[in-house]
Amino acid sequence: MRPRIGIIDYGVGNLRSVQKGLSLKGAQPVITAEEEALRECDAFVLPGVGAFGDAMERLKPLKGLLLDSLDEKPVLGICLGMQLFFDESEEDGLHQGLGVMKGRVIRLPASVKVPQMGWNRVEIKKKSRLMEGIKSGEYFYFVHSYYAVPTEDVTVATTHYGTEIAAVVEKGNAMATQFHPEKSGAPGLRILENFVSMAKKG
Amino acid sequence: MLAKRIIPCLDVKEGEVVKGVHFKNLRYAGKPQELAKLYDKQGADEIVYLDISASPQGRKTLLEVVEATAEEVFIPLTVGGGISEESDIRRVLKAGADKVAINTAAVKNPDIIRAGSKRFGAQCIVSAIDAKRVYEDREDRITVETPQGKCWFDVYIYGGRVSTGMDAVAWAKRVEELGAGEILLTSMDADGTKMGFDIPLTRKISEETRVPIIASGGAGKLKHIYEALTKGKADAALAASIFHYKEYTVGDIKKYLREKGVEVRI
């Protein structure tokens, strides 16, 4: 069975790569913002493009559906999609997030070039479903100016860029990466594969 | 720590790869998506397509090439050339590119950087700057000492054909303010020579800005790339011919860099 994964289309940017990656790993991905179409899905991807405030605004009509789904369906946040899981963000003023995970999104430290753009090592801190089969210290592709600081124990992997940064978080069915698995070559595709197998079980 | 990036660049004309020497005398060198796949396997950190098609048909063909590439290549893809308005950015990103490189359009209308950055995010707006040395000591220009003498850097547009008289260092700072997330810096003097990058240019712009800098133009030997990433302080090095003509693989370059103590993804 090819699980149906809804890639939530709440703006702009390249959604094709995540779509192709999921499809390659055995899913049936659909890019949509239609609530009806999303209800049919076994799992969701919350992709990452644009600014936090805008994204929350566009996501508003789907917020209820997303939060309800978390009881039984896995949801993968990518980049900004990860940040949206948290309580609030300091990007362009203070904005409320989905509040699925406790913590705040803040700007990268002034000691480093912003955005962080490129491949950085990810250290695994504890066992997780998303990072299964991936060795600690593997490189992943990051592009971001803000990062999440969790105030509860959700971090499963970190990276270092000016400071220690949560790179992968998991809390029940909510899971997310600050980097782009769909742009991180073979190790990134492995993460998508892990997610597809969770969608199958779900 | 963030790894230094090695980026093969493919000049694409009417859907085929070409590489110009000093931006002239184009030679054929293979299908873009096939080369992109090969470079991905070799360990390339990103791929850049520069579209030098003159016709609207050629541009359309490029979108098909981007779509075909996104089917199989799962590393970042930047597309430059022929981006003149917001709708062009949207089309290219929708086809499967992650970033767009904008040169001429930004000089003529800097607002495209600001608007593009706001709409699509700074991370996907790359400001491409083609710079050429002018050996003059002028007070109204930012000058740099080079082994060849004191010079400033003139910004060129239209694929290196037209001088603007604009100061490249000042322009780099301006595009950063406007919201560019990265600068793709090409030395017109070095491009196609295989004699090494313009290190004083690269270093100056790296020091004067806070966004990542991709050094481009002049890669011929392994040590040239090492110099751009160390003395030149670039975050990434871009090259074309040394890869297309199989002089070195991306893997050769990374192995060399790692031995010299530069952090690279292997």
Side-chain angles (χ1 to χ4, degrees), chain A residues 172-189:
Chain A
N173 278 325
M175 55 199 81
T177 61
Q178 180 58 66
F179 53 80
H180 287 268
E182 79 282 17
K183 286 289 153 186
S184 297
L189 290 174

Side-chain angles (χ1 to χ4, degrees), chain B:
Chain B
M1 215 179 105
L2 200 58
K4 298 282 188 181
R5 288 170 283 155
I6 301 299
I7 307 177
C9 175
L10 283 60
D11 288 1
V12 181
K13 190 175 186 193
E14 316 293 329
E16 307 276 354
V17 175
V18 287
K19 173 60 193 173
V21 176
H22 279 281
F23 294 100
K24 286 172 196 158
N25 304 322
L26 306 176
R27 285 184 293 173
Y28 172 73
K31 278 238 173 269
Q33 59 270 46
E34 291 307 316
L35 277 176
K37 253 164 73 181
L38 175 75
Y39 294 142
D40 178 14
K41 280 208 185 76
Q42 289 182 359
D45 295 306
E46 296 185 25
I47 303 284
V48 171
Y49 287 167
L50 280 185
D51 184 23
I52 51 172
S53 303
S55 66
Q57 186 53 43
R59 301 251 161 82
K60 227 177 120 196
T61 310
L62 182 88
L63 289 181
E64 289 162 15
V65 168
V66 170
E67 286 177 14
T69 308
E71 298 273 338
E72 296 179 283
V73 176
F74 293 94
I75 56 173
L77 175 66
T78 301
V79 171
I83 306 281
S84 53
E85 47 192 280
E86 220 178 289
S87 60
D88 298 325
I89 303 178
R90 183 188 307 276
R91 263 195 292 278
V92 170
L93 296 179
K94 200 159 184 290
D98 301 283
K99 314 181 203 178
V100 291
I102 310 174
N103 182 356
T104 307
V107 169
K108 291 169 73 179
N109 171 27
D111 196 58
I112 190 173
I113 300 271
R114 193 198 54 76
S117 177
K118 194 167 187 316
R119 184 81 185 92
F120 306 101
Q123 81 291 337
C124 70
I125 306 296
V126 181
S127 166
I129 301 178
D130 291 348
K132 193 175 194 307
R133 291 184 180 188
V134 183
Y135 294 99
E136 282 178 337
D137 188 2
R138 278 172 58 166
E139 285 198 354
D140 59 349
R141 291 291 185 274
I142 300 171
T143 56
V144 172
E145 290 291 351
T146 75
Q148 293 75 28
K150 194 179 248 190
C151 68
W152 61 279
F153 300 94
D154 184 5
V155 173
Y156 274 66
I157 56 174
Y158 292 110
R161 291 190 299 274
V162 177
S163 153
T164 65
M166 279 164 61
D167 185 312
V169 181
W171 176 235
K173 292 167 129 173
R174 175 90 197 282
V175 295
E176 179 185 4
E177 279 168 22
L178 287 166
E182 194 167 41
I183 292 172
L184 167 52
L185 178 62
T186 303
S187 161
M188 299 272 306
D189 303 284
D191 197 63
T193 64
K194 299 192 171 194
M195 300 288 280
F197 292 84
D198 187 333
I199 300 298
L201 167 70
T202 309
R203 187 185 178 100
K204 185 68 180 172
I205 290 190
S206 291
E207 285 174 348
E208 297 283 338
T209 57
R210 302 265 307 137
V211 291
I213 304 296
I214 305 170
S216 155
K221 293 183 175 148
L222 297 174
K223 77 160 197 220
H224 294 152
I225 291 176
Y226 173 74
E227 284 168 354
L229 299 173
T230 51
K231 278 190 229 164
K233 299 188 173 180
D235 300 278
L238 177 141
S241 357
I242 59 163
F243 299 128
H244 304 335
Y245 298 105
K246 301 193 169 75
E247 288 163 41
Y248 296 104
T249 65
V250 177
D252 294 336
I253 291 171
K254 288 191 160 182
K255 190 163 165 277
Y256 173 87
L257 290 171
R258 180 171 274 188
E259 279 164 10
K260 300 274 261 178
V262 176
E263 171 141 3
V264 285
R265 176 184 69 108
I266 293 184

